[in-house]
Amino acid sequence: MNAPGRTRLNQTPEWTALGKHREQLGQTHLRELFAADAARGSEYTLRVGDLHLDYSKHLVTPETLRLLRELARAADVTGLRDAMFQGEKINITEDRAVLHTALRAPRDAVVEVDGENVVPLVHQVLDRMAAFAEKVRTGEWTGHTGRPIRNVVNIGIGGSDLGPAMAYEALRSFTTRDLTIRFVSNVDGADLHEAVRDLDAAETLFIVASKTFTTIETITNATSARDWLLGELKTGQEAVARHFVALSTNAEKVGDFGIDTANMFEFWDWVGGRYSVDSAIGLSLMIAIGPEHFRELLHGFHLVDEHFRTAPAEANAPLLLGLLGVWYGGFFDAQSHAVLPYSHYLSRFTAYLQQLDMESNGKSVDREGQRVDWQTGPVVWGTPGTNGQHAYYQLIHQGTKVIPADFIGFARPVADLPPALAAQHDLLMANFFAQTQALAFGKTAEEVRAEGVPERLVPHRTFLGNHPTTTVLADELTPSVLGQLIALYEHKVFVQGAIWNIDSFDQWGVELGKVLAKEIAPALTATADSGGDVEDSGGDVERSGGDVEDSGGDVERAGGGELDSSTAALVSTYRSLRGR
């Protein structure tokens, strides 16, 4: 049932008004919008912190923006926003607060959950992280043989990997270059093998990131890493305490693994995995860039948090970006959204946003449990810079799909780039600006003919244009700017989830496959005399069940007993290929 008094989104007057407005716009082209407003390029901009946002190349008018803000008001986006910042339990399916914003709050802030101010707890962990990071960076922390740490391997999955791995790549120029930092997430043994094959175990520290210390992929990799370490050092379990630390809340399981619980760094159930890079999950990043730069990252997050919390609707950057996404998904049938950073260091940024956006808003039921009748989260994709231009930009320019895109660029290359290579930055940015211009304005058939192109080729070399883009420009990619960018997208995703009336903070969709994998695994390895045979026509697999960590609870198997005929046949083929 709907909440009392709540009208379905697509039945509200505000949604209807937007639909009529879309019909009135019809095929209005960006060329027309710019021709009608000479100041459009300078007026359709916003500033938040170090980020300059240009949204002039969007298919919107002042009326569009007004109607979108009315939709946000009707959906009470600000009310839900305030509830989030105040620690209310807006993750309704898990009855949890959503307080990643508290992870970057200043020491004197007050943010309460169940009557407790959590900010002092956050800073206690940050201070412990900083002390440990400095010990590793200075060589004070030594391994079992007394040698300093030169290699750090983060073992996690999902947000426990994507966040620190992305941020490490983004901030490479701020890292201690004499430390090797690597990330292992895939349960495919090749991932761990390639991460450690050239490392000296005596100089290697493993950081195991798992809230409950039961995530099957992470604990499997951590156990294999422990076996590798002890085998390389030719020593007993006592070496584990000097080569492993944990990011977890389960002290019992951490201790059972062999990790000294004094080296367990805590985080809380109000921190979602995809929002956790600025929590203890960021320990590997803090070791790499140092505590001071890590705090600059937190400051960047907080700056945008405060902007989102306090800026008026007409000047609120996350609100604007969220509304533009709702506009294209709801009224242009846009199925995807491209994020195109013109920076090699942001090579994993879009992958990070895939989890942030698609795990948050990939939902088809609303907060009341009803199927939605409107489009929700888009497919997020993209790669850095000019690489994409020589791959999929063809489809964006001349394909049949509406693909809104964000272009992220920087006025300066990173500071430690040699002058000869820094000189290439202008060429990179020339491409950056050229692409948004080409996407917006295209090239008419008349313009093509004027160049003397044969008539038979004119259709092929005509560009429709009218492809919407946002340009985000900053001075330089610094820890603070990275924090600002991440927070900008976090709150954009929040805005869209609020308007679509979905719970953006659970992720039940990732659970069923993980449960079934646990149940199928015995059938892949069982011997004939253990009753684990699987027949081509649909043999039984004994169900083993098990907890799944990410959503914080058990997932019950709906139905079950026998495998479907396709999966049973595939399992049988696999066993045959393995000689079982």
Side-chain angles (χ1 to χ4, degrees):
M1 296 294 292
N2 282 325
R6 182 166 188 127
T7 304
R8 299 277 287 173
L9 174 65
N10 60 348
Q11 297 172 4
T12 62
E14 293 79 9
W15 188 268
T16 301
L18 278 164
K20 292 179 179 177
H21 175 66
R22 171 69 184 93
E23 291 178 5
Q24 292 167 358
L25 280 180
Q27 299 302 311
T28 300
H29 200 285
L30 281 167
R31 287 191 291 264
E32 299 173 58
L33 296 178
F34 273 84
D37 182 0
R40 185 179 178 94
S42 57
E43 290 182 349
Y44 283 59
T45 62
L46 285 178
R47 185 83 183 187
V48 49
D50 297 299
L51 307 179
H52 174 84
L53 276 71
D54 180 323
Y55 61 97
S56 63
K57 297 185 181 76
H58 277 284
L59 298 167
V60 296
T61 67
E63 178 68 0
T64 317
L65 298 172
R66 184 189 69 79
L67 291 172
L68 286 169
R69 290 194 294 268
E70 287 294 326
L71 182 69
R73 188 175 296 110
D76 195 23
V77 172
T78 58
L80 192 64
R81 175 200 66 191
D82 294 344
M84 176 180 72
F85 277 95
Q86 292 164 9
E88 296 182 24
K89 295 179 179 179
I90 66 169
N91 178 350
I92 57 172
T93 70
E94 298 175 297
D95 194 31
R96 291 179 180 175
V98 176
L99 270 181
H100 44 281
T101 55
L103 298 172
R104 51 264 196 159
R107 288 182 187 273
D108 59 355
V110 177
V111 182
E112 292 189 350
V113 177
D114 294 327
E116 179 183 19
N117 181 15
V118 300
V119 176
L121 303 177
V122 168
H123 282 275
Q124 287 173 20
V125 174
L126 284 172
D127 291 342
R128 290 184 57 234
M129 290 168 59
F132 181 78
E134 286 294 357
K135 286 181 181 179
V136 174
R137 287 166 62 85
T138 61
E140 180 182 346
W141 181 275
T142 57
H144 180 67
T145 65
R147 291 161 61 183
I149 296 300
R150 293 285 177 262
N151 316 301
V152 177
V153 180
N154 186 92
I155 300 177
I157 199 166
S160 299
D161 167 78
L162 280 167
M166 175 277 295
Y168 170 72
E169 291 296 333
L171 300 176
R172 276 281 188 118
S173 64
F174 294 87
T175 63
T176 298
R177 299 289 184 152
D178 58 353
L179 282 176
T180 296
I181 312 289
R182 292 180 179 166
F183 298 86
V184 173
S185 59
N186 199 331
V187 77
D188 184 340
D191 195 4
L192 179 63
H193 171 69
E194 291 297 336
V196 302
R197 63 185 300 273
D198 59 345
L199 301 185
D200 186 333
E203 298 178 343
T204 300
L205 174 73
F206 292 95
I207 299 175
V208 184
S210 173
K211 186 182 294 185
T212 65
F213 225 72
T214 59
T215 314
I216 188 167
E217 299 94 337
T218 299
I219 300 308
T220 298
N221 278 327
T223 302
S224 296
R226 182 180 60 187
D227 293 344
W228 172 83
L229 176 87
L230 299 182
E232 290 288 308
L233 295 182
K234 297 179 174 56
T235 187
Q237 182 82 1
E238 66 276 6
V240 173
R242 299 301 301 177
H243 291 271
F244 281 80
V245 299
L247 316 177
S248 182
T249 58
N250 193 333
E252 181 180 359
K253 287 191 177 295
V254 167
D256 290 345
F257 187 88
I259 297 174
D260 186 345
T261 54
N263 299 319
M264 184 183 84
F265 299 88
E266 185 182 10
F267 53 111
W268 305 271
D269 68 1
W270 39 261
V271 181
R274 54 193 175 275
Y275 298 92
S276 65
V277 65
D278 44 352
S279 72
I281 293 298
L283 180 61
S284 58
L285 177 64
M286 184 184 280
I287 292 171
I289 65 175
E292 181 178 350
H293 284 139
F294 193 86
R295 292 193 182 277
E296 291 175 12
L297 175 78
L298 299 182
H299 175 73
F301 273 104
H302 182 64
L303 189 154
V304 175
D305 291 343
E306 287 300 289
H307 167 85
F308 179 53
R309 190 178 66 84
T310 63
E314 62 274 11
N316 196 303
L319 178 65
L320 170 71
L321 295 185
L323 290 172
L324 289 172
V326 171
W327 173 234
Y328 293 117
F331 301 94
F332 289 78
D333 195 32
Q335 302 290 316
S336 72
H337 185 92
V339 180
L340 309 169
Y342 275 61
S343 168
H344 175 75
Y345 291 102
L346 289 179
S347 61
R348 300 201 64 182
F349 188 65
T350 305
Y352 174 81
L353 295 183
Q354 285 175 339
Q355 186 195 27
L356 172 65
D357 200 320
M358 296 168 71
E359 193 167 82
S360 295
N361 287 344
K363 311 291 172 60
S364 57
V365 296
D366 64 18
R367 293 168 67 86
E368 290 75 52
Q370 288 192 327
R371 297 283 299 187
V372 300
D373 301 319
W374 47 89
Q375 194 177 132
T376 58
V379 175
V380 177
W381 59 282
T383 50
T386 53
N387 289 350
Q389 293 177 200
H390 290 265
Y392 48 78
Y393 275 42
Q394 169 64 40
L395 184 144
I396 304 178
H397 278 288
Q398 292 185 307
T400 59
K401 297 171 174 56
V402 177
I403 304 174
D406 296 347
F407 283 72
I408 303 171
F410 303 93
R412 305 174 190 275
V414 296
D416 67 346
L417 205 62
L421 296 178
Q424 297 179 197
H425 191 72
D426 287 337
L427 177 59
L428 173 72
M429 293 305 291
N431 279 272
F432 175 82
F433 296 119
Q435 288 298 324
T436 62
Q437 181 180 5
L439 285 166
F441 304 110
K443 197 171 190 179
T444 67
E446 291 73 19
E447 290 169 333
V448 174
R449 290 188 184 98
E451 295 177 347
V453 173
E455 188 61 31
R456 65 183 181 84
L457 294 179
V458 169
H460 299 279
R461 297 178 63 170
T462 297
F463 292 75
L464 174 63
N466 222 33
H467 299 292
T469 61
T470 301
T471 298
V472 182
L473 188 63
D475 182 47
E476 187 178 342
L477 180 55
T478 64
S480 177
V481 166
L482 179 64
Q484 293 170 49
L485 283 169
I486 297 172
L488 179 69
Y489 280 95
E490 286 179 348
H491 297 315
K492 169 200 166 180
V493 167
F494 172 91
V495 167
Q496 293 179 335
I499 291 174
W500 292 325
N501 191 33
I502 56 180
D503 188 340
S504 297
F505 302 101
D506 60 15
Q507 55 278 334
W508 297 106
V510 307
E511 308 302 339
L512 179 58
K514 293 168 70 173
V515 171
L516 296 182
K518 279 187 174 184
E519 298 173 350
I520 291 172
L524 303 183
T525 57
T527 58
D529 59 5
S530 67
D533 289 337
V534 179
E535 299 177 359
D536 288 339
S537 58
D540 294 343
V541 173
E542 189 169 339
R543 303 293 181 182
S544 59
D547 294 345
V548 179
E549 179 197 4
D550 287 343
S551 281
D554 297 340
V555 177
E556 295 182 2
R557 175 75 172 104
E562 295 185 354
L563 288 179
D564 67 272
S565 61
S566 170
T567 305
L570 289 168
V571 168
S572 181
T573 300
Y574 173 86
R575 288 173 57 86
S576 177
L577 292 170
R578 293 296 301 265
R580 293 172 179 160

